């Protein structure tokens, strides 16, 4: 919405130019104190710092107390030289600067007795006493050492305590937040799609950055530093690699031969008769990956480059088949029902190439995926005080026949005509300028331009979608074709001032978005039968009113396309003071403000009173953090804080609200019932009128008939103007201890309260028992009565004082952001740094998560998870969250074995996810099939636990000083553990409710690889 808003808050934050820890999202810092042998600070001591790889030189002078600080340092190894008049010179050649961390390097100088410089061989490990955030750090050594399935560096997020991976949507929930509420930043700039609320390129792609182009990664789960935002979950922050003063590079090739792939473990229960077949249990696929990375100097010590390209190719064959069982037809005679079905419908043409429905079954096709990413980076040391960086990244992804996920039980009965072609192309560039403006003032500025296009193309337009539930699906996929173009600009500027024990920082983050979304769902229609028997009845014109039969269609004068712009502004200010309790207590206090400027609907519907578009929102997130050095030596640290963490609304929900108002797109759901039964038996939706040419052509209902017959079935969507951004109000308290041998142990407790979670409620229902003339008015008349009817709809509703007219609409869904949730966790961590040739990172998390709706960003429909099944009392469904996992254990480590062979493992154990028992009937009369079985509550049941063990064995070979090679073998799912689960969640109690019927395609796979370094 192009409205003015009060800019006082952000302007004040920008002008404050003050606040936070003395590090940045792309760099680290070194701090410490210089003392003499008597323990007094050495004022005026000179420190000279040099990056061992790039030659970057920075200098500093100790203050009156002997303290110094050198900030905005690129991640890497340094040598630090300390000189003082009359003192012996000391040099530490092994100072390591990590991402977002303050490295402590203290020195004790002795009187000079000779001119020689004393080199420090090793230094004691200490903790960063200025770090108020909870951080899991992953360095390049760990990234390169452990087996990384698919080489997607973001998978390392799963090493973080509190992480929960969902294989259905390939997203990770962090500490109870939804998977879309994390924020991925690379080189200090956002790598998020604002439209989808996930990383650019979608979660379907294997990777958006080559793993070998990432230098270091940190996952921040409790960001009490106000610099970090746009995440109710975690901030995932990475920096890319730079060139050095030595020309060099690497090349990698790895392959997974299909001969070394284990068969899928049969499930205990194959109700449909399609899962445990020889074909279905055989994974016929190959996967290869190749990359080349080169870097070096253009001008030594001044200008460096690093470029890389990585490509991924994957092919897998699938053979779908009709399901012939009690679930696909009449339970008493499934085979005769199927035989009749095939005789009637087998000749339907469903493919553009003329193939029939009968030919779809048993016809193999290949899911062919390719992904190529290109990377380039220039680093220019202008002078000691100014450093500039340009990073460019491009990605090109293509997947043939990969639209329907083959992790679902639906996929084995999906024909090739249901699939499509997925494409994704993206380009982003980031320019960064880091400047030291004085002895106590630094600035970091960034500009980013990003472009992403996601077209999806249907394999077939020859037929509407034809689906027999549990039987087979063919024809044009109901949501194809579609596409999104997303263009964005981002400008960031942060300024930091330090003086004595004070550090103050402030900054702005401005993002501008331009979208074109095309989503014309059901444009060619979709007909859905409950089983083969009902399909046979449709052909005979004898469908009973109680039979499960649905037709969905849509029309649009605009091709379902909508274009709009939006804005996301943020500013923060933070102060940090470390002068308390003998400088062992550090306090941090900050405030972050975030503003969403939403668009006006380009095609508003006056019936919806301006609620067919989203509202502008502003969040204010206070943050408080502290650290207390228990012994004053940086070895044992108490760390905690409290803060609010807001996440922007994914623009997909905004776009769908504008698109689903009946002006851009009109979508009609026509369910068989007493009022519509004649339509399916003898009317416009009958077999006689929809099937022609001797039973070979199935046609969609034309738009003029669709609108005339189904006005009461048109679906609408509106937005509550009181909606706010989701916020997590989180507190954490933990203790951490570092040993001199590099081992670090930690214990932490976390509690979070989630507010403003998004869900939908149907607001055009007649509530049974309510006073005559009642309608939804910021709630239904009887809050304790979950009994409704679609007969006698009120055709109006009031939201926040605005009366809407729902004439010619059926279900109308209100997008609300007042859902709530909680998260509690106790976390143990252990890690060992890698200087001794072995290291590990391990976590153990006990947790409990609850909410009243766990949907990510699902669009509205009567059966969607996002639609509450209690419109009268949406909060009444409060129960365990979909993201609730009671216990999760992770371990990733590497170690020497024998004869130069290096080993590495990646292990995880996760207790089962919850699920609900869903009734097969519409119990509350709201037209949705999402009611819980009587006597049960939401998420009452549990799937089996999941565990995974990956192994790598590697050996390095040195041919010359400049040329080395590494050969390795990766074994994913070494023990071939099968994470099987159930999808039989309807109609409980039944004889097979909860039976394990979904196989795990993640079988043991062996990958062979070689890496050359030069």
């Amino acid at each position: 919405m192009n409205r003015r808003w009060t800019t006082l808050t952000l302007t004040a934050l920008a002008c404050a130019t003050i606040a936070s820890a003395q590090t940045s999202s792309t760099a680290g810092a070194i701090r410490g104190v210089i003392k003499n042998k008597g323990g007094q600070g050495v004022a005026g001591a000179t420190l000279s710092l040099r990056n061992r790889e790039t030659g970057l030189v920075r200098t500093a002078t100790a203050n009156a107390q002997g303290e110094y600080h050198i900030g905005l340092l690129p991640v890497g190894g340094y040598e630090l030289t300390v000189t003082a008049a009359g003192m012996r010179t000391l040099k530490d050649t092994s100072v390591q600067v990590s991402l977002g961390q303050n490295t402590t390097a203290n020195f004790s100088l002795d009187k000079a007795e000779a001119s020689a410089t004393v080199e420090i061989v090793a230094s004691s490990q200490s903790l960063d006493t200025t770090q108020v955030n909870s951080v899991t750090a992953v360095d390049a050594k760990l990234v390169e050492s452990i087996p990384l399935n698919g080489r997607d560096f973001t998978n390392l997020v799963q090493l973080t305590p509190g992480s929960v991976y969902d294989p259905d949507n390939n997203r990770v929930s962090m500490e109870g937040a939804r998977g879309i509420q994390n924020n991925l930043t690379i080189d200090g700039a956002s790598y998020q799609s604002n439209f989808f609320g996930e990383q650019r390129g979608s979660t379907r792609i294997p990777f958006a950055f080559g793993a070998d182009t990432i230098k270091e990664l940190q996952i921040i789960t409790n960001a009490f530093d106000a610099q970090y935002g746009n995440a109710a979950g975690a901030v995932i922050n990475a920096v890319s690699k730079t060139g050095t003063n030595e020309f060099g590079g690497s090349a990698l090739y790895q392959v997974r031969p299909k001969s070394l792939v284990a068969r899928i473990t049969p499930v205990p229960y194959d109700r449909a008769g399609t899962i445990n077949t020889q074909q279905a249990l055989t994974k016929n696929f190959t996967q290869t990956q190749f990359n080349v990375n080169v870097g070096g100097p253009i001008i030594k010590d001044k200008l460096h480059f690093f470029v890389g390209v990585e490509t991924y190719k994957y092919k897998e064959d699938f053979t779908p088949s009709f399901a012939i069982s009690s679930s696909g037809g009449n339970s008493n005679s499934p085979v005769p029902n199927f035989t009749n079905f095939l005789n009637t419908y087998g000749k339907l043409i469903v493919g553009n190439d003329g193939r029939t429905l009968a030919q779809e079954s048993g016809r193999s096709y290949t899911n062919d995926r390719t992904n190529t990413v290109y990377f380039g980076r220039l680093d220019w040391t202008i002078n000691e005080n100014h450093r500039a960086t340009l990073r460019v990244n491009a990605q090109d992804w293509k997947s043939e026949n990969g639209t329907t996920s083959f992790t679902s039980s639906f996929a084995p009965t999906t024909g090739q005509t249901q699939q499509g072609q997925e494409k994704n192309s993206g380009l982003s560039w980031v320019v960064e300028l880091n400047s030291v403006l004085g002895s106590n003032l630094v600035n970091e500025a960034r500009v980013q331009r990003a472009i992403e296009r996601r077209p999806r193309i249907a394999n077939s337009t020859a037929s509407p979608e034809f689906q027999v539930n549990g039987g087979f699906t063919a024809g044009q996929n109901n949501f194809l074709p579609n596409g999104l173009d997303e263009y964005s600009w981002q400008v960031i500027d942060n300024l930091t001032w330090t003086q004595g024990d004070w550090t103050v920082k402030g900054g702005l983050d401005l993002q501008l978005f331009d979208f074109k979304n095309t989503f014309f769902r059901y444009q060619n229609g979709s007909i859905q039968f409950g089983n083969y028997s009902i399909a046979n009845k449709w052909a005979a014109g004898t469908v009973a009113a109680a039979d499960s039969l649905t037709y969905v269609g849509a029309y649009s004068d605009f091709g379902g396309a909508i274009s709009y712009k939006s804005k996301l502004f943020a500013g923060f200010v933070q102060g940090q003071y470390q002068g308390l309790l003998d400088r062992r207590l550090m306090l941090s206090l900050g405030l972050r403000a975030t503003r969403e400027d939403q668009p006006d609907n380009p095609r508003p519907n006056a019936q919806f009173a301006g609620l067919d578009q989203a509202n502008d929102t502003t969040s204010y997130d206070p943050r408080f953090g502290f650290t207390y050095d228990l012994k004053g030596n940086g070895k044992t640290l108490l760390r905690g804080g409290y803060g609010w963490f807001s996440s922007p609304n994914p623009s997909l929900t905004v776009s769908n609200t504008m698109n689903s108002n009946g002006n851009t797109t009109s979508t009609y759901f026509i369910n068989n019932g007493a009022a519509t039964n004649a339509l399916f038996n003898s009317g416009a939706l009958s077999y006689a009128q929809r099937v022609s040419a001797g039973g070979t052509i199935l046609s969609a209902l034309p738009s003029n008939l669709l609108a005339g017959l189904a006005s009461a079935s048109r679906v609408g969507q509106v937005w509550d103007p009181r909606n706010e951004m989701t916020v997590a109000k989180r507190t954490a308290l933990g203790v951490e201890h570092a040993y001199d041998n590099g081992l670090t142990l930690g214990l932490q407790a976390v509690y979070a309260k989630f507010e403003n979670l998004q869900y939908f409620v149907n607001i055009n229902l007649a509530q049974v028992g309510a006073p005559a003339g009642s309608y939804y008015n910021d709630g239904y008349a009887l809050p304790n009565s979950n009994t409704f009817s679609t007969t006698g709809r009120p055709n109006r509703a009031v939201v926040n004082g605005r009366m809407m007219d729902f004439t010619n609409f059926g279900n109308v869904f209100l997008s609300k952001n007042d859902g709530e949730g909680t998260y509690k966790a106790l976390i143990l961590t252990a890690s060992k740094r890698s200087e001794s040739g072995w290291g590990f990172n391990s976590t153990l998390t006990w947790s409990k998560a609850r909410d009243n709706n766990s949907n990510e960003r699902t669009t509205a429909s009567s059966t969607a998870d996002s639609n509450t099944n209690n419109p009268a009392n949406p909060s009444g469904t409060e129960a365990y969250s979909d993201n609730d996992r009671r216990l999760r254990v992770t371990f990733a480590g590497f170690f020497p074995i024998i004869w130069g062979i290096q080993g590495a493992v990646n292990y995880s154990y996760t207790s089962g996810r919850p699920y609900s028992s869903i009734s097969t009937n519409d119990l509350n009369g709201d037209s949705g099939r999402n009611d819980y079985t009587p006597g049960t509550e939401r998420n009452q049941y549990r799937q089996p636990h999941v565990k995974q063990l990956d192994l790598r064995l590697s050996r390095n070979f040195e041919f010359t000083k400049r040329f080395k090679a590494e050969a390795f073998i990766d074994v994913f799912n070494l023990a071939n553990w099968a994470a099987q689960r159930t999808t039989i969640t309807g109609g409980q109690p039944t004889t097979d409710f909860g039976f394990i019927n979904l196989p795990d395609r993640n079988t043991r796979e062996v990958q062979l690889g070689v890496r050359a370094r030069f």
Side-chain angles (χ1 to χ4, degrees), residues 1 22 36 47 174 284 329 565 633 647 766 870 920 956 976:
M1 300 177 184
Q22 305 169 39
N36 58 30
L47 298 102
M174 298 298 301
N284 186 17
K565 298 180 180 180
N633 60 359
S647 277
N870 188 348
T920 56
N956 289 315
N976 203 28

Side-chain angles (χ1 to χ4, degrees), residues 489-730:
W489 284 99
Q490 183 178 25
V491 178
I492 300 173
D493 192 82
N494 297 327
L495 190 64
T496 302
W497 172 80
T498 60
Q499 183 66 49
D501 293 322
W502 283 97
T503 301
V504 194
K505 187 172 187 176
L508 289 176
D509 182 354
L510 312 178
Q511 298 186 62
L512 308 176
F513 303 99
D514 193 344
F515 303 103
K516 180 180 179 181
N517 181 37
T518 303
F519 195 67
F520 191 4
R521 192 171 191 179
Y522 301 110
Q523 59 185 280
N524 200 21
S526 174
I527 189 162
Q528 305 160 14
F529 304 95
N531 53 42
Y532 293 128
S533 176
I534 295 173
N536 293 335
K537 291 181 182 181
W538 186 59
T542 59
V543 177
D547 288 336
S548 176
L549 173 57
T550 299
Y551 179 85
V552 188
Y555 69 87
S556 172
D557 294 330
F558 306 94
I562 191 166
S563 299
Y564 61 96
K565 298 180 180 180
S566 66
K567 303 173 184 177
L568 182 64
F569 300 152
F572 75 94
V573 59
Q574 182 158 320
Q576 181 174 296
Y577 182 67
Q578 199 173 2
L580 301 173
L581 300 182
D582 196 23
R583 309 187 77 246
R584 292 161 61 182
L585 176 65
M586 190 277 295
L587 300 179
S588 176
L589 184 64
L591 175 68
R592 185 178 183 89
T594 306
R595 172 74 177 181
E596 283 185 316
D597 268 4
Q598 303 288 15
D600 290 313
N601 194 330
R603 306 180 193 107
N605 188 335
Q607 291 181 243
F608 289 175
L611 297 186
D612 52 352
Q613 60 189 28
N615 57 294
D616 300 340
T617 58
T618 303
S619 68
Y620 298 95
D621 293 344
R623 311 272 179 91
F624 166 75
F626 75 93
T627 62
Y628 180 62
D629 187 352
L630 292 176
K631 297 182 179 180
N633 60 359
K635 297 291 187 180
T636 307
L637 196 65
L638 191 67
R639 178 185 289 119
Y642 174 79
W644 294 11
F645 307 87
S646 295
S647 277
N649 292 297
S651 199
L652 178 147
T653 57
V654 177
S655 178
N656 287 340
T657 297
M658 296 188 293
N659 200 14
S660 303
N661 68 349
N663 281 359
T664 296
T665 304
S666 292
T667 304
Y668 298 85
F669 283 76
I670 308 172
N671 295 310
N672 174 52
T676 58
N677 184 248
L679 276 176
F680 289 99
N681 282 327
S682 58
L685 288 175
S686 66
Y687 177 92
Q689 295 196 35
R690 299 273 55 83
V691 180
S692 60
T696 62
I697 303 299
L698 174 65
S699 59
L701 193 66
S703 60
N704 60 326
L705 294 180
L706 186 65
L709 291 175
S711 61
S713 301
R714 184 164 58 159
V715 177
Q717 182 175 319
V718 293
W719 188 280
D720 193 321
R722 293 161 296 193
N723 284 350
E724 301 290 341
M725 284 177 265
T726 296
V727 60
K729 298 180 178 180
R730 183 178 287 115

Side-chain angles (χ1 to χ4, degrees), residues 210-271:
D212 288 348
T213 63
I214 297 298
K215 188 173 184 68
E216 197 160 313
L217 170 72
Q218 60 174 186
I219 302 99
I220 306 170
T221 49
N222 298 297
F224 299 122
D225 185 336
Q227 173 180 341
Y228 300 100
N230 300 337
V235 175
I236 304 159
N237 184 36
V239 290
S240 57
K241 289 183 178 178
T242 65
T244 69
N245 277 335
E246 288 193 13
F247 179 85
S250 67
L252 169 75
Y253 177 78
Q254 56 189 31
V255 60
R256 299 190 196 183
K258 59 184 177 183
S259 60
L260 298 178
V261 177
R263 290 178 74 247
I264 299 170
T265 303
V267 294
Y269 184 63
D270 182 7
R271 182 171 70 171

Side-chain angles (χ1 to χ4, degrees), residues 178 757-759 851-855 865-868 938:
R178 295 174 177 177
L757 295 173
Q758 188 267 341
Y759 64 93
D851 58 26
N852 67 306
N853 191 292
S854 301
N855 97 89
D865 292 339
S866 57
N867 178 38
T868 179
R938 172 173 164 259

Side-chain angles (χ1 to χ4, degrees), residues 148-172:
L148 192 58
N149 201 344
R151 289 181 48 77
D152 181 3
F153 78 91
T154 61
N155 287 340
L156 295 167
V157 173
Q158 297 177 48
L159 299 178
T160 306
S163 63
V164 171
Y165 173 67
D166 185 345
D168 291 337
N169 58 35
N170 202 26
R171 286 191 282 266
V172 178

